[in-house]
């Protein structure tokens, strides 16, 4: 925010509050029990998470990758406060890294399904994640709300 002199007290408090909230959000951490120990991970660095069997893979903005043994429901509940939400039964995505939504056509033996996918970029590589039909409305609503509230894109 940019404030001009003379400074209005209410505008200053509003700008300061937004700056403080942004700082707090960017410096939140979670502790994850990994397959090889324990890690403290900044939530703002998490781009997305996906489950594979009994493991959850966390993919970070800097290209790092962690594996943890936790249910997707537990992980979703832990990360929801940080704008990391479920877009599919096997995926969570950080709204700060969402670059858009696209139509998806998946061809499976004997059937053709259409849906949406979320587009993100990690270390210059474009990644597409599926959006489950069950999660589509909530995902779109959360994304719109996040952007209207001045959500930060990294």
């Amino acid at each position: 925010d940019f404030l001009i002199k003379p400074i209005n007290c209410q505008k200053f408090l509003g700008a300061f509050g937004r700056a403080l909230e942004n700082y707090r959000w960017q410096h939140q951490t979670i502790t994850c029990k990994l397959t090889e120990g324990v890690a403290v991970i900044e939530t703002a660095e998490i781009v997305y998470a996906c489950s594979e069997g009994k493991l959850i893979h966390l993919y970070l903005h800097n290209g790092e990758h962690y594996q943890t043994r936790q249910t997707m429901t537990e992980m979703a509940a832990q990360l929801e406060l940080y704008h990391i939400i479920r877009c599919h039964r096997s995926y969570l995505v950080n709204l700060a890294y969402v670059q858009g939504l696209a139509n998806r056509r998946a061809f499976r033996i004997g059937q053709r399904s259409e849906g949406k996918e979320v587009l993100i970029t990690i270390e210059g590589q474009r990644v597409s994640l599926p959006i489950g039909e069950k999660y589509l409305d909530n995902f779109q609503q959360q994304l719109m709300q996040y952007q209207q509230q001045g959500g930060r894109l990294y």
Side-chain angles (χ1 to χ4, degrees):
D1 288 290
F2 183 76
L3 300 173
I4 54 175
K5 292 180 183 177
I7 295 175
N8 177 307
C9 187
Q10 281 191 305
K11 286 184 179 180
F12 172 76
L13 289 175
F16 183 74
R18 284 188 296 280
L20 186 59
E21 181 61 32
N22 189 34
Y23 175 82
R24 284 183 185 152
W25 183 79
Q26 289 182 3
H27 292 87
Q28 294 293 323
T29 60
I30 60 167
T31 304
C32 288
K33 186 176 180 184
L34 307 175
T35 52
E36 64 277 349
V38 176
V40 177
I41 301 170
E42 285 192 32
T43 56
E45 285 294 310
I46 299 171
V47 178
Y48 75 99
C50 69
S51 66
E52 187 177 280
K54 295 183 179 185
L55 288 176
I56 292 182
H57 300 269
L58 294 172
Y59 294 91
L60 307 187
H61 179 67
N62 62 9
E64 290 183 52
H65 168 250
Y66 293 102
Q67 293 180 7
T68 181
R69 291 193 185 277
Q70 205 171 352
T71 68
M72 187 56 90
T73 302
E74 292 169 343
M75 183 64 73
Q78 188 176 12
L79 295 174
E80 189 174 30
L81 293 172
Y82 309 107
H83 307 291
I84 301 172
I85 65 167
R86 210 157 188 172
C87 63
H88 186 274
R89 70 183 179 127
S90 300
Y91 290 91
L92 299 170
V93 66
N94 188 334
L95 295 177
Y97 294 98
V98 173
Q99 295 179 330
L101 300 177
N103 290 326
R104 169 180 51 92
R105 289 190 179 160
F107 295 94
R108 296 186 187 123
I109 297 174
Q111 68 181 28
R112 183 178 130 187
S113 67
E114 295 184 15
K116 297 263 187 205
E117 61 188 6
V118 61
L119 306 173
I120 57 177
T121 301
I122 305 174
E123 290 286 293
Q125 299 290 325
R126 191 171 189 161
V127 178
S128 299
L129 304 177
I131 300 178
E133 201 173 307
K134 174 181 171 182
Y135 302 96
L136 180 60
D137 289 338
N138 182 58
F139 182 82
Q140 288 178 322
Q141 181 182 6
Q142 294 271 352
L143 182 60
M144 294 282 289
Q145 186 178 15
Y146 177 76
Q147 290 176 339
Q148 287 172 351
Q149 293 174 348
R152 308 288 188 263
L153 299 178
Y154 295 99

